[in-house]
């Protein structure tokens, strides 16, 4: 039998243990609050049990690192959370599926010190989820609303929902929490909360699908022969910018929304399309409330009325009876120029996975969602694949959809994408053009948090960058980093001065950059183009920089009259690369070809499409349209691109049309390994062309005509006119050259046009120099010296050669204009120039005829008239005329001035 003191000790031991740290009760006892989801699909209801413990029921969470713990902080912002402390030794390193937990506070932690209870990962300083117990001021009677991290901006304001009102403990419920949950398929769930007082229901749709997918749910028309026809559904999804939306749709046919020739709309269409407009909100009465993407799971919440004022396109919902509901998942087609609204495409997966129907009573309590949805691909950030020789533009901006909560106020943007993941290849240099501001210094680090200017993490390894790598758009700073075989598979890019501004860098072995010799970014930096030239063939690869259902590149200045290569994945996951000839802007004019391409590969990685193929430079065939698709490496190759939601091998239709395209072609210089954007004709270059036409088409030829055909006019007027026109033409010509060189930022001799132009300029500029060394003209009656004769021959030949080269430069300039800018008016301008040259030629022929006629008249007149020798300066004599030289020689042979007499006519 045990001694009495020992039994008394055992009886008092639980009281002592319970009293250790819990002797004083707390006013928070019985308080309940829902967990706000930040990441890892956290859900659950926290209840304060007493002064030293709390419980969690319906707890969901995907597994995190070994450093995930219960955490106490004074506020829900990043600064307060990062300054918080661990309050329990319970590890949270596994997946929790609708579980119930009781957690005891650790050490000296008390509820008086805790305003926010969080699930915190110390390794990445990340909040998985949290519950707000009270404000930072310690007011326990009025708990405040903790904003959900990463709240995506709604496209339009939504009315307040009872679901977001304060719960029974005074805390506003998170938008991810509902009373009911139903599993529709292994990847799709329906959540809802009924609000009889407002005659409405809040619906939440979540699925493990990509951002290019839609999630649809709605009520079937009770008297319809098919659950789909006449159904009132809500289609939810995400825009190209990542903004969630929910919109009311009505189904009239088993097809995508189409506008018939008679103007009738049918298919799966928004309610507003049937009526044309919705100015007072009577048709589109589904209100978007909230949406996000977390861990590869899409979630959208919206409010739907049970009884709508729209009796034409909405189905009344009886909240006390079972009704047929339908649901579907599929590709969402973005707006385009033909249909400026989002369209759900036909679902391609089997029934029960991508679509289905069931009977549902919204008043019944349902909770069969055991655990969080777990996506295979949990990366929701944009992915940028770094390419050699192509700099990554680093800027900064507000945190709108930052994927690694808690959100800092400002994050890094790379190529206009918010804190994307980067993929780099070992051995391939990566160049960053840093334009994020003088307060942001980029560096590559082993620290997931960054901002280590204060040496917070002494074990941090810095691989590149530092305090001096900061810049602004007007004066960017370049950072070149070459990951090697010793670089870890995962590092981070951050700012040295602020924490958590950047995100991950995945370092991989090899890739397209290693396999191809050259690469460029096409228009708008959305498609990367790779190529390698061999003697008779070219190997080509294209990779999209955004998620899409297919990727197409085309050779040509636009969609019309272009050769297109389309990479896409079929329903079985097999990749294809198909070739087409396009001769009009509709699906019926996209013609398949049998072009000989080899080494075909196509794959899709995280929604990013990549395809590769090889083809001969000159196809060995004749007669077919694809035989004309010749690639000349010495000529710039004009490349365009397009992306869309869906492609098919046969029976192309409007649903295969692109959703986003390049705005203009890019001229890829295959031999140089570079590219330049196809541009509209620049105004300065247009002025250059006009000035050259004035110089070479009017002034300089006019000066030559004056010297050739005006010498018979008394005085030296012809000479003054010749000099003034020539100098004016040369001045305008040189000014036009300066305009072109300044606009193009350089002077290059690569084109035929420039070569002709330089030749003409050199010949024209030689004429004033030639005039300065002109030998003295002979006096009256003297024989012209050989130097004078050679000078006149040289002067005339150089001048006329300059005109020929100048006219050739004008025509080559027109050809260069057509080739470089694709101007629609080049042909008309060329014909106008031809007509002008022909008019000048006809004028010269007429003047030459009149000159010959005048000379004949002068010779016949001289034979019958007494004339005195010319006492004026003899520059007016054309030394190229043999008769003039002979006359002078004859006059000099007599050794004296010869006077001829003419009998006076009576």
């Amino acid at each position: 039998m045990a001694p009495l003191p020992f039994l008394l000790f055992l009886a008092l031991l639980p009281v002592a243990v319970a009293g250790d740290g819990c002797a004083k009760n707390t006013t928070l006892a019985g308080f309940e609050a829902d967990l706000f989801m930040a990441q890892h699909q956290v859900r659950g209801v926290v209840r304060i049990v007493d002064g030293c413990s709390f419980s969690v029921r319906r707890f969901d969470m995907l597994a995190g690192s070994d450093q995930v713990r219960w955490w106490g902080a004074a506020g829900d912002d990043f600064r307060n959370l990062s300054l918080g402390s661990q309050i329990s030794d319970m590890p949270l390193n596994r997946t929790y599926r609708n579980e119930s937990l009781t957690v005891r506070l650790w050490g000296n932690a008390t509820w008086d010190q805790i305003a926010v209870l969080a699930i915190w990962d110390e390794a990445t300083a990340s909040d998985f989820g949290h519950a707000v117990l009270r404000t930072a001021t310690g007011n326990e009677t009025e708990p405040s609303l903790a904003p959900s991290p990463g709240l995506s901006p709604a496209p339009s304001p939504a009315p307040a929902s009872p679901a977001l009102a304060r719960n029974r403990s005074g805390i506003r419920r998170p938008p991810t929490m509902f009373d009911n949950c139903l599993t529709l398929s292994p990847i799709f769930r329906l959540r809802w909360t009924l609000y009889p007082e407002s005659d409405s229901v809040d619906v939440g749709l979540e699925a493990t699908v990509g951002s290019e997918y839609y999630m649809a749910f709605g009520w079937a028309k009770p008297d319809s022969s098919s659950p789909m026809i006449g159904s009132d559904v809500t289609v939810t999804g995400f825009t190209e910018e990542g903004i969630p939306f929910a919109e009311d749709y009505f189904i009239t046919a088993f097809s995508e929304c189409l506008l018939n020739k008679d103007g009738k709309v049918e298919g799966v269409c928004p309610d507003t399309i049937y009526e044309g407009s919705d100015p007072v909100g009577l048709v589109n009465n589904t209100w978007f409330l909230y949406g996000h993407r977390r861990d590869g799971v899409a979630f959208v919440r919206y409010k739907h009325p049970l009884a709508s004022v729209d009796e034409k396109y909405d189905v009344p919902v009886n909240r006390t009876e079972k009704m047929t509901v339908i649901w579907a998942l599929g590709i969402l087609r973005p707006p385009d120029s033909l249909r400026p609204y989002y369209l759900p495409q036909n679902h391609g997966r089997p029934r029960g996975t991508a679509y289905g129907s069931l009977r549902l009573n919204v008043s019944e309590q349902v909770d069969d969602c055991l655990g969080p949805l777990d996506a295979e691909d949990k990366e929701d950030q944009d992915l940028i694949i770094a390419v050699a020789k192509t700099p990554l533009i680093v800027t900064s901006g507000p945190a709108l959809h930052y994927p690694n909560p808690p959100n800092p106020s400002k994050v890094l943007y790379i190529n206009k994408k918010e804190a994307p993941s980067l993929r780099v290849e070992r051995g391939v240099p990566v160049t960053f053009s840093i334009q994020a501001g003088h307060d942001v210094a980029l560096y590559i680090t082993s620290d997931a948090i960054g901002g280590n200017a204060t040496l917070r993490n002494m074990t941090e390894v810095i691989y590149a960058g530092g305090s001096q790598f900061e810049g602004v758009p007007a004066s960017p700073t370049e950072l070149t980093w070459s990951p090697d075989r010793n670089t870890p598979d995962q590092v981070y890019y951050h700012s040295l001065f602020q924490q958590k501004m950047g995100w991950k860098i995945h370092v991989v072995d090899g890739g397209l950059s290693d396999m191809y010799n050259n690469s460029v970014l096409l228009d708008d930096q959305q498609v990367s183009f790779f190529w390698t030239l061999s003697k008779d063939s070219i190997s080509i690869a294209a990779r999209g920089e955004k998620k899409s259902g297919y990727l197409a590149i085309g050779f040509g200045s636009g969609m019309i009259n272009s050769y297109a290569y389309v990479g896409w994945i079929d329903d079985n996951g097999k990749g294809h690369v198909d070739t087409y000839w396009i001769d009009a802007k509709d699906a019926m004019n996209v013609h398949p070809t049998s072009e000989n391409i080899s080494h075909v590969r196509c794959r899709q990685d995280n929604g990013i499409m990549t395809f590769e193929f090889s083809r001969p430079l000159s196809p060995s065939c004749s007669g077919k349209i694809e035989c004309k698709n010749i690639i000349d490496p010495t000529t710039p190759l004009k490349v365009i691109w397009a992306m869309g939601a869906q492609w098919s091998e046969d029976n192309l239709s409007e649903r295969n049309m692109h959703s986003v395209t390049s705005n203009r072609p890019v001229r890829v210089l295959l031999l140089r390994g570079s590219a330049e954007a196809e541009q509209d004709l620049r105004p300065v270059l247009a002025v250059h062309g006009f000035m050259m036409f004035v110089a070479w088409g009017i002034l300089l030829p006019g000066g030559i005509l004056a010297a050739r055909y005006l010498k018979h006019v008394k005085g030296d007027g012809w000479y003054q006119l010749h000099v003034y026109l020539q100098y004016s033409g040369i001045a305008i010509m040189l000014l036009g050259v300066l305009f072109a060189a300044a606009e193009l930022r350089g002077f290059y001799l690569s084109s035929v046009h420039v070569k002709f132009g330089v030749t003409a300029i050199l010949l024209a500029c030689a004429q004033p120099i030639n005039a300065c060394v002109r030998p003295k003209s002979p006096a009256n009656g003297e024989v012209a010296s050989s130097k004078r004769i050679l000078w006149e021959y040289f002067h005339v030949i150089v001048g006329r050669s300059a005109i020929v080269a100048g006219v050739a430069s004008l025509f080559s300039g027109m050809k260069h204009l057509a080739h470089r800018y694709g101007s629609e008016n080049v042909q008309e301008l060329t014909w106008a120039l031809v007509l002008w040259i022909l008019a000048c030629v006809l004028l010269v022929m007429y003047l030459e005829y009149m000159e010959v006629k005048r000379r004949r008249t002068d010779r016949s007149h001289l034979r019958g008239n007494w004339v005195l020798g010319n006492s004026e300066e003899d520059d007016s004599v054309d030394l190229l005329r043999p008769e003039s030289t002979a006359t002078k020689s004859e006059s000099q042979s007599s050794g004296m001035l010869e006077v001829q007499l003419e009998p006076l006519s009576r």
Side-chain angles (χ1 to χ4, degrees):
M1 187 174 183
L4 182 61
F6 180 72
L7 294 177
L8 185 60
F9 170 77
L10 292 178
L12 295 177
L13 182 61
V15 177
V17 173
D20 183 18
C22 302
K24 185 174 67 173
N25 209 345
T26 175
T27 57
L28 286 178
F31 174 85
E32 287 189 354
D34 297 310
L35 285 169
F36 285 86
M37 179 193 298
Q39 55 183 322
H40 283 249
Q41 299 301 301
V42 167
R43 286 187 174 92
V45 181
V46 173
R47 183 176 186 273
I48 306 300
V49 177
D50 52 34
C52 63
S53 63
F54 64 94
S55 65
V56 187
R57 69 177 185 273
R58 298 174 62 191
F59 182 47
D60 287 348
M61 190 186 77
L62 295 175
S65 72
D66 292 335
Q67 299 187 43
V68 181
R69 294 291 188 273
W70 291 104
W71 196 261
D76 60 348
D77 59 298
F78 174 68
R79 180 178 178 276
N80 280 311
L81 284 172
S82 61
L83 293 176
S85 60
Q86 180 179 339
I87 62 172
S88 171
D89 58 355
M90 174 184 288
L92 297 174
N93 56 355
R94 65 178 179 88
T95 296
Y96 293 84
R97 305 182 183 277
N98 202 18
E99 298 184 26
S100 297
L101 308 173
T102 299
V103 184
R104 185 178 180 83
L105 296 185
W106 186 40
N108 296 323
T110 64
W111 295 118
D112 295 336
Q113 304 167 340
I114 302 172
V116 173
L117 177 66
I119 301 170
W120 185 257
D121 181 10
E122 284 192 90
T124 59
S126 296
D127 177 23
F128 285 12
H130 61 267
V132 177
L133 308 182
R134 61 174 180 271
T135 62
T137 58
N139 183 1
E140 297 182 8
T141 61
E142 289 292 334
S144 64
L145 168 66
S148 179
L151 179 64
S152 300
S156 59
S161 170
L164 302 182
R166 295 178 185 274
N167 64 12
R168 53 190 173 275
S169 297
I171 290 291
R172 195 183 302 268
R173 298 194 70 186
T176 54
M177 295 295 292
F178 293 84
D179 292 341
N180 307 280
C181 183
L182 176 64
T183 299
L184 301 177
S185 81
I187 61 172
F188 191 21
R189 289 179 177 178
L190 167 70
R191 299 179 184 269
W192 78 93
T193 299
L194 179 66
Y195 296 98
E197 64 277 8
S198 63
D199 202 26
S200 65
V201 60
D202 274 19
V203 177
L205 304 178
E206 63 176 355
T208 55
V209 293
S211 59
E212 69 274 17
Y213 279 75
Y214 69 84
M215 302 177 291
F217 173 80
W219 279 266
K221 191 174 181 180
D223 56 353
S224 177
S225 58
S226 169
M228 186 172 176
I229 301 301
S231 294
D232 171 25
V233 299
T234 299
V235 175
T236 67
F238 294 83
T239 67
E240 290 291 281
E241 295 75 26
I243 299 176
F245 70 89
E247 190 159 350
D248 213 357
Y249 279 64
F250 186 71
I251 302 176
T252 58
F254 293 98
S255 69
E256 181 183 323
C257 185
L258 297 173
L259 177 64
N260 297 329
K261 295 181 179 179
D262 58 0
K264 182 180 178 182
V265 179
E266 65 177 11
V268 183
C269 303
D271 289 3
T272 54
I273 301 302
Y274 293 104
E275 294 297 325
S277 63
D278 184 23
V280 294
L282 298 179
V283 178
N284 184 19
N285 46 30
T286 293
W287 294 288
F288 168 82
L289 296 176
Y290 175 82
H292 70 220
R293 285 190 59 83
R294 297 280 190 273
D295 316 297
V297 179
F299 174 81
V300 175
R301 180 173 187 149
Y302 63 89
K303 177 183 177 65
H304 188 78
L306 300 180
S308 172
V309 295
D310 177 17
E311 299 179 356
K312 189 174 181 180
Y313 303 113
D314 283 354
V315 174
V317 179
N318 190 329
R319 66 171 180 262
T320 61
E321 297 182 0
K322 286 190 174 183
M323 297 183 64
T324 300
V325 296
I326 62 173
W327 56 272
L329 297 170
I331 295 292
L332 185 66
R333 176 177 178 171
D336 53 37
S337 57
L338 299 177
R339 287 168 292 188
Y341 38 85
Y342 284 87
L343 293 180
Q345 306 290 293
N346 293 336
H347 37 71
R349 296 178 181 175
R351 182 180 180 87
T353 301
Y355 70 98
S357 62
L358 54 93
R359 303 279 291 176
L360 178 68
N361 184 345
V362 295
S363 296
E364 294 181 354
Q365 296 294 315
V366 181
D367 188 9
D368 69 348
C369 302
L370 302 179
L373 284 176
D374 192 358
E376 293 182 3
D377 182 8
K378 297 180 175 60
E379 294 288 343
D380 290 314
Q381 307 92 312
D382 288 318
L383 175 66
I384 293 181
I385 302 174
V387 177
K389 302 179 183 178
T390 303
L392 301 174
I393 310 302
V394 181
T395 57
S396 60
L400 300 178
H401 309 93
Y402 190 55
N404 183 21
N407 295 347
S409 59
K410 186 170 72 170
V411 296
L412 294 175
Y413 283 68
I414 297 182
N415 289 356
K416 300 181 180 180
K417 293 181 173 63
E418 179 186 359
S421 292
L422 296 182
R423 181 178 298 169
V424 301
E425 299 169 2
R426 290 183 173 88
V428 179
V430 182
T431 301
F432 298 88
S433 178
I434 306 169
Q435 309 173 16
H438 295 303
D439 60 337
V440 177
L442 183 72
Y443 78 125
I444 313 300
T445 173
S446 62
D447 188 3
I449 302 174
N452 199 24
T454 58
L455 300 180
R456 169 189 52 81
N457 181 3
M458 299 299 294
T459 63
E460 176 186 36
V461 178
I462 298 178
Y463 299 95
S467 58
Q468 70 272 28
F469 288 96
E470 47 83 13
V472 294
S475 179
T477 299
E478 282 199 354
L479 167 63
T480 300
W481 170 52
S482 295
D484 55 29
R485 61 188 182 87
N486 297 321
T487 306
D489 291 341
Q490 180 170 298
V491 292
Y492 303 86
Y493 65 93
H494 281 297
S495 169
L496 186 65
F497 303 132
Q498 297 92 12
Q499 295 182 0
K500 295 179 73 74
M501 286 192 67
W503 195 223
K504 298 177 181 177
I505 301 178
H506 303 284
V507 185
V508 298
D509 294 326
L512 293 177
S513 299
D514 296 331
M515 296 163 55
Y516 293 87
N517 294 340
N518 306 282
S519 65
V520 296
L521 274 176
L522 299 182
D523 179 57
D524 205 24
Q525 299 181 347
Q526 295 300 313
V527 175
S528 296
F529 182 76
F530 303 82
W531 75 95
T532 295
L533 281 170
S534 58
K535 181 179 179 181
D536 300 316
S537 65
I538 182 172
S539 298
I540 293 175
R543 181 180 63 215
E545 300 298 333
K546 65 189 303 183
K547 297 179 180 180
S548 65
Y550 73 84
L551 170 64
I553 60 171
F555 297 160
S557 296
M559 179 177 177
I560 299 177
N561 297 329
S562 67
Y563 295 92
Y565 302 85
V566 182
W568 59 286
I569 307 294
D570 62 20
D571 294 337
N572 298 321
K574 182 180 178 181
H576 300 263
V577 178
D578 296 334
T579 62
Y580 299 88
W581 162 254
I582 305 175
D583 54 14
K585 290 186 177 181
D586 58 77
M588 299 299 295
N589 294 93
V590 181
H591 309 290
T593 66
S594 55
E595 185 173 341
N596 181 23
I597 60 175
S598 59
H599 301 93
V600 174
R601 289 188 292 269
C602 181
R603 65 181 184 274
Q604 195 173 35
D605 183 13
N606 194 28
I608 300 299
M609 190 70 65
T610 302
F611 67 86
E612 305 171 63
F613 64 92
S614 298
R615 52 149 291 176
L617 294 174
S618 180
S620 56
C621 57
S622 61
K624 298 180 181 180
I625 189 65
E626 58 265 27
C627 301
K628 300 179 181 179
N629 186 14
I630 299 173
I631 295 179
D632 182 4
T634 63
T635 303
L637 180 66
K638 297 181 180 180
V639 185
I640 57 176
W641 61 265
M643 297 184 197
Q646 179 179 348
W647 195 261
S648 56
E649 192 168 9
D650 301 313
N651 303 319
L652 297 177
S653 64
E654 289 188 359
R655 74 178 57 183
N656 304 117
M657 298 296 285
H658 47 69
S659 58
V660 58
T661 67
S662 53
N663 295 317
R664 58 187 175 183
V666 168
R667 302 170 72 248
V668 178
L669 309 177
L670 297 175
L671 292 178
R672 288 189 186 177
S674 61
E676 57 185 18
E678 186 81 0
Q679 298 175 335
D680 296 330
L681 179 60
R682 304 177 188 177
V684 176
L685 295 183
V687 172
H688 162 79
F690 177 74
M691 296 176 72
M692 288 304 182
F693 171 74
V694 171
W696 291 105
I698 299 177
L699 297 178
L700 295 174
I704 293 178
L705 294 179
R708 172 67 178 166
Y709 301 111
L710 296 181
K711 289 183 178 180
H712 65 279
V713 179
K714 186 175 178 62
D716 61 349
W718 69 269
Y719 181 77
Q720 299 296 330
L721 184 61
H722 170 73
V723 172
Y724 291 151
L725 288 176
Q726 298 302 86
Y727 278 113
S728 299
I730 291 174
I732 292 178
M733 173 193 67
L734 294 177
L735 190 60
V737 172
L738 292 178
F739 270 96
E743 180 68 12
L744 297 177
R745 297 182 180 180
F747 196 80
Y748 309 98
L749 293 173
S750 56
S751 67
V752 175
H753 168 64
V754 177
K755 292 176 181 178
F756 271 121
V758 170
T759 302
I761 291 170
L762 292 177
L763 292 174
C765 292
Q767 290 296 75
I769 300 174
N770 187 24
C772 293
V773 297
R774 179 182 59 176
K776 184 177 180 182
S777 61
N780 290 329
E782 293 182 358
V783 177
S785 65
S786 59
K787 291 184 179 180
R788 175 72 181 191
I789 295 174
L790 289 175
W791 177 86
E792 290 206 10
Y793 271 105
F794 182 80
H795 189 68
V796 171
I797 291 173
V798 171
R800 295 178 183 178
S801 299
I803 290 297
V804 172
V807 171
S809 179
L810 290 178
F811 279 104
S812 62
M814 301 301 294
K815 183 178 180 180
H816 185 67
L817 175 68
H819 181 73
R820 184 183 181 95
Y821 298 102
S823 176
E824 299 178 356
N825 300 322
V826 169
Q827 188 174 3
E828 291 82 354
L829 292 173
T830 303
W831 278 110
L833 181 59
V834 170
L835 293 176
W836 175 260
I837 298 300
L838 287 177
C840 292
V841 171
L842 292 175
L843 176 62
V844 170
M845 293 174 62
Y846 172 76
L847 293 175
E848 192 67 23
Y849 167 75
M850 296 300 296
E851 180 70 9
V852 172
K853 185 177 179 181
R854 185 187 63 80
R855 290 172 183 171
R856 288 177 179 175
T857 303
D858 289 347
R859 282 198 297 268
S860 62
H861 193 260
L862 284 172
R863 283 195 296 266
N865 291 277
W866 297 93
V867 293
L868 291 175
N870 187 6
S871 61
E872 297 178 352
E873 204 273 335
D874 201 25
D875 267 344
S876 62
V877 177
D878 188 352
L879 296 180
L880 297 183
R881 288 170 50 194
E883 61 269 27
S884 299
T885 306
T887 302
K888 287 188 177 184
S889 300
E890 293 170 1
S891 300
Q892 294 295 333
S893 63
S894 62
M896 62 182 65
L897 180 62
E898 189 174 298
V899 178
Q900 298 182 4
L901 300 178
E902 177 184 357
L904 295 175
S905 59
R906 302 288 180 182

